[in-house]
């Protein structure tokens, strides 16, 4: 039997960021690793996720997810290999999805882990296209925004893990037009040439409202909001009567220390009879089986494409997170510990 490690490294939050996080707000520390007791497993993490929502957890404010405590290992989605098990149904060598990322080794109750099959999709896909971001896209578009065939759909942050999937699902479900915004000309080309968006624009190239009007001359019926601010304001201006907005994220404002910008035209929602609804993916876990069945079939057939950006090594975990906030990823940003 292979000896179990006595310790491993884990990222800790050591200071609450004021505005943009800096590397000094984090520390990579050695933590003890214990053999599992009854009902528990020990996992060597192969990949862990860095996501926009984690920035909010660095503030000491009440929210739908508790803030990260200071001077303790951070957590988040991860996929790894079981290296020791005292739990029925979990064997050494199994691959599992769980919530103790940001570290090399994770000891947890087996009931908090879910076995995943690397033969159906690459293991990293369970953190993105077939994971939490994918379910966010699926539930937000189809359930929260009540998408129906023929709708014109606008997605902000459209080259990210959530946005790219929203646009493709809309196209596969019969949208009349799919429009996306992204932060570089290269990402705009990706949206139209690889993901099948009908139109896309670089929000850095000019006012969002003007670019959206050009891309959606007949207006939009659904807006999937990952950005907030000027994007939400522009979308409200272009939404048709009885348009729907799924409020998923506001990454443009996560690091602001001043007053939020926009939307200044919220009164338009009255006359247009708009519906703006915020949502949390955890409220839609009942859709998980349907989501995995439908989306995995599209992935296998090649009808739905996805990208991943890998940052190698736990030493670079924070830099990967900061890069994601800066928009340096195409698709899902993942920290790769597999090598």
């Amino acid at each position: 039997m292979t000896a179990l490690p006595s310790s491993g490294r884990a990222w800790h939050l050591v200071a609450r960021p004021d505005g943009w996080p800096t590397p000094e707000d984090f520390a990579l520390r050695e933590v003890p690793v214990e053999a599992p007791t009854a009902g528990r497993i020990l996992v060597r993490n192969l990949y862990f996720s860095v996501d926009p929502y984690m920035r909010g957890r660095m503030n000491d404010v009440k929210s739908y997810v508790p803030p990260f405590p200071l001077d303790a290992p951070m957590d988040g989605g991860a996929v790894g290999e079981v290296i020791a098990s005292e739990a029925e149904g979990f064997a050494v060598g199994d691959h599992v999805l769980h919530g103790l990322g940001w570290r090399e080794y994770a000891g947890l109750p087996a009931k908090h882990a879910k076995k995943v099959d690397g033969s159906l999709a690459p293991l990293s896909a369970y953190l993105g296209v077939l994971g939490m971001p994918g379910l966010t896209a699926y539930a937000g578009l189809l359930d929260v925004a009540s998408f129906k065939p023929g709708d014109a759909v606008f997605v902000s942050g459209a080259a990210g893990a959530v946005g790219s999937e929203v646009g493709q699902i809309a196209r596969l479900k019969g949208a009349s037009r799919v429009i996306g915004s992204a932060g570089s000309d290269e990402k705009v080309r990706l949206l139209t040439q690889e993901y099948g968006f009908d139109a896309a624009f670089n929000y850095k190239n000019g006012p969002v409202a003007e670019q959206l009007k050009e891309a959606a001359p007949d207006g939009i019926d659904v807006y999937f909001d990952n950005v907030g601010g000027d994007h939400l304001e522009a979308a409200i201006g272009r939404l048709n009567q009885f348009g729907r907005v799924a409020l998923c994220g506001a990454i443009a404002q996560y690091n602001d220390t001043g007053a939020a910008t926009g939307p200044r035209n919220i009164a338009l929602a009255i006359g247009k009879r708009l519906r703006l609804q915020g949502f949390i993916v955890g409220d839609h876990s009942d859709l998980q089986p349907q989501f995995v069945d439908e989306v995995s079939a599209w992935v296998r057939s090649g009808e739905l494409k996805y990208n991943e950006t890998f940052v190698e090594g736990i030493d670079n975990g924070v830099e990967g997170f900061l890069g994601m906030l800066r928009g340096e990823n195409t698709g899902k940003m993942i920290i790769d510990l597999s090598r």
Side-chain angles (χ1 to χ4, degrees):
M1 180 177 176
T2 304
L4 298 180
S6 60
S7 65
R9 292 173 294 171
W11 280 103
H12 295 58
L13 185 69
V14 296
R16 303 281 179 203
D18 181 18
W20 280 87
T22 67
E24 290 71 33
D25 296 323
F26 308 86
L28 184 60
R29 296 172 173 168
E30 201 81 14
V31 296
V33 172
E34 298 180 355
T37 53
R40 297 177 64 90
I41 57 176
L42 179 63
V43 178
R44 181 175 78 87
N45 283 338
L46 301 174
Y47 306 96
F48 72 81
S49 179
V50 289
D51 301 283
Y53 82 90
M54 294 175 175
R55 174 60 187 88
R57 295 189 64 194
M58 293 171 187
N59 301 329
D60 189 15
V61 296
K62 186 176 181 180
S63 184
Y64 64 93
V65 183
F68 290 123
L70 293 178
D71 294 307
M74 295 160 63
D75 58 77
V79 172
E81 180 181 358
V82 176
I83 59 172
S85 173
E86 293 296 332
E88 187 176 348
F90 289 83
V92 171
D94 285 345
H95 292 117
V96 295
L97 173 68
H98 63 89
L100 293 182
W102 288 94
R103 67 197 75 189
E104 292 178 302
Y105 298 96
L108 67 152
K111 65 182 180 181
H112 293 157
K114 178 182 178 183
K115 285 200 280 190
V116 293
D117 188 345
S119 69
L120 296 179
L123 292 173
S124 55
Y126 292 96
L127 296 175
V129 66
L130 295 178
M132 180 270 289
L135 181 58
T136 301
Y138 189 89
L141 178 68
L142 302 181
D143 195 1
V144 179
S146 305
F147 171 85
K148 58 185 184 297
D151 281 342
V153 177
F154 171 45
V155 189
S156 57
V162 174
S164 60
E165 201 158 342
V166 171
Q168 292 185 82
I169 293 172
R171 173 176 56 78
L172 289 163
K173 290 283 190 178
S176 61
R177 189 166 178 81
V178 179
I179 302 144
S181 71
S184 72
D185 293 340
E186 181 182 353
K187 289 180 179 179
V188 167
R189 284 191 293 272
L190 177 74
L191 293 177
T192 56
Q193 295 177 14
E194 184 172 341
Y195 293 155
F197 282 59
D198 297 290
F201 59 86
N202 181 348
Y203 65 83
K204 297 177 182 176
N205 287 348
V208 174
E210 293 179 11
Q211 295 195 78
L212 179 58
K213 183 177 181 180
E214 182 177 347
D218 298 322
I220 57 175
D221 303 295
V222 169
Y223 172 47
F224 194 105
D225 188 19
N226 291 307
V227 173
D230 57 352
H231 279 74
L232 179 55
E233 185 171 292
I236 289 171
R238 294 307 298 161
L239 277 159
N240 297 322
Q241 287 190 354
F242 302 104
R244 290 90 64 203
V245 179
L247 298 168
C248 178
I251 196 169
Q253 297 162 225
Y254 287 167
N255 299 300
D256 286 352
T257 55
T261 57
R264 297 164 296 182
N265 58 349
I266 192 69
L268 290 176
I270 301 168
K272 292 186 178 186
R273 285 86 93 198
L274 305 181
R275 172 160 59 85
L276 288 74
Q277 182 177 338
F279 74 101
I280 304 301
V281 66
D283 297 337
H284 300 272
S285 56
D286 59 306
L287 292 176
Q288 178 78 20
Q290 174 185 324
F291 153 70
V292 171
D293 286 347
E294 193 162 20
V295 174
S296 63
W298 285 331
V299 169
R300 288 192 300 272
S301 70
E303 294 174 277
L304 192 149
K305 303 180 189 303
Y306 67 97
N307 278 272
E308 298 168 318
T309 300
F310 292 98
V311 172
E312 291 192 16
I314 194 166
D315 304 75
N316 296 314
V318 163
E319 187 52 43
F321 170 72
L322 298 177
M324 178 272 303
L325 290 180
R326 293 190 293 259
E328 295 173 2
N329 55 302
T330 299
K332 185 75 189 76
M333 182 70 96
I334 294 171
I335 310 304
D336 184 352
L337 310 184
S338 64
R339 291 167 175 78

